[in-house]
Amino acid sequence: MPSLSAPLHVAVIGGGPAGLMAAETLLAGGARVTLFDAMPSVGRKFLLAGKGGLNLTHAEPTATFRARYAERQPEVSAWLDRLDADGLRAWAGELGISTFVGSSGKVFPAEMKAAPLLRAWLHRLRVAGLTLHMRHRWNGALTAAPAEATDAGRWTLQFDTPVGVKTVHADAVVLALGGASWARLGSDGAWQPWLAGQGVDVRPLVPSNCGFDIAWSEHLKGKQAGAPLKGVRLTFTDRLGRHFSRLGEAVVSAKGIEGNLVYAASALLRDEIAANGHADIHLDLLPAKELPTLTTALAKGRGARSMPNHLKEQAGLTGVKAALLREGLDAAQWTVLCSDPAALAGRIKALPLRLTAPRPIDESISSAGGVRLEAMDAGLMLAALPGVFCAGEMLDWEAPTGGYLLTACFASGRVAGQGALDWWSAPH
């Protein structure tokens, strides 16, 4: 190991929130930090997330917030002990970025954009001594120096650059390479076989916060693709008896269904499809109307009015909701349904839809799977590669949208950065 009088030199690979937070933590601890990213600039996905209003975190009770991480709640809670939602808002405030709580509890920067925060953060990091190397794509080469020859650094890495392969030495490495969603922004999941080849336990990456395929008719695809489904309730019970029921909004796409309401249930739906070949959900198209009241309204005579007009006048059902009510039924089945107010009301209140597959991972907001947390210590150091740490979405956890993803990415970066400092200072 190099002399303890020399500063720890860390190579951070990945310039998203996790990598940048790891770099900030390391710099504050006196380390020398060089950050590498494959893209021309850092924070590409972070900036995209802020394009429509950066949802930085969520202002809900601590217990509720931490429960969003499901089976990984214990591990992620330990990260949040280092940087939770309140801490993240305070951190943003130190950068001169004020935040506010929206009506849904989501927390946004006052300017509703990611760019001002990222600019202020990068300025502070550069002042603190961060060195940035863009267009440096790690090619998977990661070798440990022999114990007797570590003056140049414990680890040797290689990067593909516009001018050829570059070799880098570092005492420690923080990998913050992201998952596999939105590959064009830098997270392509190429690291999976590289780390697995080094003995790291890696779970395959799968879509998270994603849409799902439904075999719509050509008529519905042609007329309703892109139509928003507002004010509907999605219910689902999986094969293990786990139940989901939530009011929200979705979007009918040409391939199926997507949107925040669907994303919230995506982990359960994805796993059900993997185990069962499909997932059957129900949509309450008019959750504000009770079934008996709706049945009574639909039972009123419609005279010469068409069925679409009857549904509009008696139930307020129009547009994409009315189209979904008819979807999958032939003319004879539709005629029978229209003659039975109770059955018609029942279908409106519990419209069955069969989801056949999640949309491709590159279309998803995030991904699940990755480096198993059991393969790491509490400081997020890989057991198979002492001195190599991982952070962010490349780890095996997931969370719904709503600020939870970003918060845990930031927090894991702080944990990994501090983990590297603690490892360096401890006898080993």
Side-chain angles (χ1 to χ4, degrees), residues 71-347:
E71 67 269 16
R72 288 305 192 184
Q73 179 181 345
E75 294 91 347
V76 177
S77 288
W79 307 347
L80 297 175
D81 287 342
R82 301 282 187 94
L83 184 66
D84 61 7
D86 290 338
L88 193 56
R89 295 186 70 185
W91 169 84
E94 292 169 0
L95 290 171
I97 305 298
S98 60
T99 56
F100 71 94
V101 181
S103 58
S104 64
K106 295 177 181 180
V107 175
F108 302 91
E111 296 184 61
M112 294 293 288
K113 297 176 182 178
L117 188 154
L118 185 60
R119 282 196 300 269
W121 194 11
L122 286 173
H123 174 72
R124 187 165 76 179
L125 289 170
R126 288 190 176 102
V127 169
L130 178 64
T131 300
L132 293 165
H133 289 291
M134 299 295 99
R135 295 187 174 91
H136 279 58
R137 183 180 297 276
W138 181 47
N139 61 21
L142 177 67
T143 57
E148 68 277 6
T150 55
D151 287 342
R154 178 177 296 265
W155 292 98
T156 299
L157 308 98
Q158 288 186 345
F159 296 87
D160 294 330
T161 78
V163 295
V165 176
K166 181 176 180 178
T167 299
V168 173
H169 303 284
D171 300 315
V173 178
V174 175
L175 301 175
L177 297 163
S181 62
W182 292 88
R184 65 183 177 85
L185 300 178
S187 299
D188 58 12
W191 53 266
Q192 296 174 84
W194 301 340
L195 289 188
Q198 295 263 25
V200 178
D201 191 1
V202 177
R203 181 184 175 195
L205 293 171
V206 293
S208 181
N209 291 292
C210 58
F212 291 86
D213 289 345
I214 298 176
W216 299 130
S217 66
E218 291 301 320
H219 176 77
L220 188 134
K221 284 192 288 187
K223 297 288 187 179
Q224 302 296 340
L229 271 172
K230 296 185 177 182
V232 297
R233 178 174 291 278
L234 188 157
T235 59
F236 170 68
T237 302
D238 72 4
R239 68 198 183 286
L240 302 177
R242 292 177 295 186
H243 186 66
F244 178 93
S245 179
R246 187 174 301 181
L247 186 70
E249 297 185 1
V251 176
V252 170
S253 69
K255 296 290 187 180
I257 192 167
E258 56 188 49
N260 288 337
L261 181 59
V262 178
Y263 302 155
S266 64
L268 285 175
L269 297 171
R270 178 198 66 223
D271 293 348
E272 181 74 3
I273 292 170
N276 203 38
H278 63 267
D280 293 324
I281 66 171
H282 290 86
L283 291 183
D284 183 344
L285 300 176
L286 298 173
K289 295 183 181 293
E290 297 294 334
L291 180 61
T293 302
L294 182 60
T295 302
T296 299
L298 293 173
K300 295 178 180 178
R302 61 186 175 97
R305 292 192 306 273
S306 67
M307 195 62 197
N309 283 335
H310 184 62
L311 288 169
K312 179 180 179 179
E313 291 180 15
Q314 298 301 328
L317 201 70
T318 61
V320 65
K321 290 184 178 181
L324 285 174
L325 189 64
R326 175 71 186 266
E327 178 69 4
L329 303 178
D330 60 26
Q333 291 170 323
W334 177 244
T335 298
V336 171
L337 181 67
C338 291
S339 67
D340 186 341
L344 186 60
R347 185 172 171 85

